Amino acid sequence: MSSKKPVEISQLFGQAGQSQQIHQLKSQIEKLETEITQLRANVFSPEEKSVLEQQIEQLTNQLVTQGGVHEIAVSLIDPDPAQPRQTFPSLVIQERAESLRRQGQQNPIVLIPQLDGRYKLFDGELRWRAAPLAEMTKLKAVFLPKKEIPDEAVVFEGQLVTSIHSQKLHDLDLATALIRLIIFKYPDFIDREDEIPKFLNAFINRLVRSQKIQDLAPIKDADLITQQEWLETSEFKEQEEYEIVSVLLGLQLNPVSVNNNIFPMLKVEEDLKVIIRSEGLESSKIKELNKLSAEQLKIDESQAIAIRTQITQRVVQEKLSLSQTKTLVKQTLEKYNASNNKTKHEKQVDKTIKDIQSIDLKSLESTRLSKLHQVLQKTLREIETLM
């Protein structure tokens, strides 16, 4: 079995080669690839993240050299529904719009021309979303000729690598993208995507039991040869486990973190996913809000959605911290559980009354009648005191 090396950004543009200018472009991109690869071999500091983004910006500038900068109507541009990043909080869009108003568009977006005269976004969706708020009808753009684009899986992996290392993805976006990339690489998962988190969880639990879980932290950042040797010697119970872990390691992601923090986002309630997409609410707060389920609140689903929506809006509007969110969720659960417990007691009283009324007193022996009389008298005195 073998693992695949993740596609570097420059490889997305490596198909060009029909003119001297494009040959020169390819050479420059290859130099950038080496530098970007060296950066990605380490844990990023803020300075290194800044350098990486500069390298990516430089790649865009190479496309300027290849085909120049064009002004394209915002109305002719379509987002790429397949790209990994799907979360664009309204506040972030507004901030970018203000930047565009004050400073203008500093860097061109990257577009793929379509046959119908429209353009598909390859890079720059945040600027495209912010443009109408900044009252901009056109955006500066460079073109990535469609003939130079590798197949969809390669493009997607390149976009995912870029997003991971520039830390632009919300955990929900990353979880969704990882599922898609695993299916791209291993089509046997088609129509079985729900099983992917289960296979990973089974493997992680096995490592915990065998006390080998600590191996994953260093192997995540190891070179490809070391990773491959580890994959070949690890005790995978199923081929699917190998396939999933090989993809994660190829992206320099820790399978433990993906299992514990990323894949669980796929199970949060749909209304909370909508909030993530619109507000970018942090995963830690989303996990707390997800506790406000119909099962835990002991109410029907429609009521649970209404309560969860109300509490979530409060968290967003009041900008509550994680600690405050936890407290609010806990109080809400206690309130509804107490209410439900009261209802349970009331039902128990109603049942007791019916049971007593249904007793055939004539069929009871005198000793049992006497015992029942004593119990009822004692209970009656307690009721009269409370009344």
Side-chain angles (χ1 to χ4, degrees):
M1 295 181 289
S2 62
S3 61
K4 297 183 180 179
K5 180 180 178 180
V7 176
E8 300 295 349
I9 302 168
S10 59
Q11 287 179 281
L12 300 178
F13 309 94
Q15 304 299 316
Q18 296 183 359
S19 69
Q20 182 62 32
Q21 184 183 33
I22 295 179
H23 278 301
Q24 292 173 353
L25 172 64
K26 182 177 179 182
S27 176
Q28 291 170 329
I29 288 175
E30 286 174 350
K31 291 179 182 178
L32 285 172
E33 177 184 7
T34 300
E35 296 175 16
I36 292 171
T37 302
Q38 291 172 348
L39 273 173
R40 286 176 175 164
N42 303 303
V43 177
F44 289 140
S45 66
E47 294 79 12
E48 288 170 333
K49 290 174 189 172
S50 177
V51 171
L52 177 58
E53 291 197 359
Q54 291 173 12
Q55 301 279 5
I56 296 169
E57 182 179 342
Q58 191 175 348
L59 261 178
T60 302
N61 292 338
Q62 302 304 328
L63 288 175
V64 174
T65 302
Q66 178 183 345
V69 178
H70 307 263
E71 284 200 345
I72 303 299
V74 172
S75 60
L76 292 177
I77 301 171
D78 299 312
D80 180 2
Q83 77 137 318
R85 188 182 184 188
Q86 297 294 322
T87 298
F88 295 90
S90 57
L91 180 60
V92 175
I93 295 174
Q94 291 168 8
E95 289 174 349
R96 180 55 61 93
E98 184 61 27
S99 174
L100 289 173
R101 275 193 291 265
R102 294 187 182 191
Q103 301 168 1
Q105 184 186 354
Q106 299 297 307
N107 299 303
I109 60 177
V110 181
L111 301 177
I112 304 173
Q114 304 296 296
L115 295 177
D116 59 1
R118 298 186 66 80
Y119 302 86
K120 184 168 73 173
L121 269 166
F122 182 81
D123 179 68
E125 184 165 345
L126 183 56
R127 280 164 284 174
W128 172 73
R129 287 174 178 265
L133 297 180
E135 299 180 347
M136 297 175 63
T137 58
K138 294 182 179 181
L139 284 172
K140 298 174 185 176
V142 293
F143 296 157
L144 192 62
K146 199 165 185 179
K147 64 182 179 180
E148 295 178 13
I149 298 292
D151 64 56
E152 183 182 4
V154 175
V155 171
F156 183 76
E157 185 174 5
Q159 291 174 320
L160 180 54
V161 168
T162 302
S163 297
I164 288 174
H165 291 293
S166 59
Q167 296 192 343
K168 291 180 179 178
L169 291 183
H170 190 282
D171 287 344
L172 176 60
D173 288 349
L174 179 54
T176 304
L178 288 175
I179 296 294
R180 185 164 177 236
L181 181 60
I182 290 169
I183 293 174
F184 267 141
K185 286 177 170 289
Y186 299 101
D188 52 299
F189 279 114
I190 293 176
D191 296 328
R192 301 170 58 207
E193 54 267 25
D194 291 345
E195 297 180 27
I196 292 175
K198 296 177 183 177
F199 278 116
L200 178 61
N201 188 60
F203 175 68
I204 296 299
N205 287 338
R206 199 176 314 116
L207 286 185
V208 171
R209 290 193 297 270
S210 63
Q211 299 183 341
K212 295 181 179 179
I213 194 68
Q214 65 277 5
D215 293 349
L216 283 175
I219 208 66
K220 172 184 78 73
D221 296 314
D223 59 77
L224 289 174
I225 295 177
T226 303
Q227 284 186 354
Q228 185 59 39
E229 290 175 349
W230 184 87
L231 287 166
E232 295 292 350
T233 56
S234 295
E235 299 176 358
F236 292 101
K237 187 176 180 181
E238 306 287 348
Q239 172 68 17
E240 289 89 344
E241 295 175 356
Y242 169 89
E243 294 170 351
I244 295 166
V245 174
S246 67
V247 171
L248 300 181
L249 292 180
L251 294 169
Q252 292 183 294
L253 295 174
N254 189 333
V256 176
S257 177
V258 173
N259 181 68
N260 296 343
N261 304 314
I262 306 302
F263 278 167
M265 295 304 296
L266 296 169
K267 293 184 177 180
V268 301
E269 300 291 348
E270 289 301 319
D271 54 295
L272 292 178
K273 290 181 180 178
V274 172
I275 291 294
I276 290 174
R277 303 296 191 209
S278 63
E279 303 294 338
L281 198 61
E282 301 96 312
S283 300
S284 55
K285 296 177 185 177
I286 289 292
K287 289 175 182 176
E288 288 300 314
L289 293 166
N290 199 54
K291 294 177 182 178
L292 299 175
S293 63
E295 181 180 0
Q296 294 206 46
L297 290 168
K298 296 181 175 61
I299 54 180
D300 63 50
E301 185 61 31
S302 60
Q303 290 177 302
I305 292 175
I307 292 167
R308 198 164 52 241
T309 300
Q310 179 184 13
I311 299 299
T312 300
Q313 288 301 324
R314 182 177 170 186
V315 170
V316 172
Q317 293 170 4
E318 298 180 18
K319 298 181 180 179
L320 299 185
S321 66
L322 176 59
S323 176
Q324 292 171 321
T325 302
K326 286 182 176 181
T327 299
L328 182 57
V329 169
K330 182 180 179 182
Q331 291 173 344
T332 304
L333 288 171
E334 288 175 347
K335 172 184 174 182
Y336 280 88
N337 284 332
S339 175
N340 283 311
N341 286 337
K342 181 179 179 181
T343 301
K344 179 180 178 181
H345 293 153
E346 290 174 346
K347 290 180 179 179
Q348 186 178 9
V349 170
D350 291 341
K351 182 177 183 302
T352 301
I353 292 173
K354 288 182 179 180
D355 288 342
I356 293 174
Q357 290 174 336
S358 65
I359 294 175
D360 183 2
L361 298 177
K362 293 181 180 180
S363 66
L364 294 179
E365 298 177 358
S366 58
T367 53
R368 291 195 174 278
L369 281 172
S370 176
K371 181 67 175 176
L372 178 61
H373 183 261
Q374 292 175 8
V375 171
L376 290 176
Q377 273 193 326
K378 180 181 177 182
T379 302
L380 183 59
R381 285 194 294 270
E382 292 176 355
I383 292 174
E384 288 173 346
T385 301
L386 291 172
M387 294 176 64

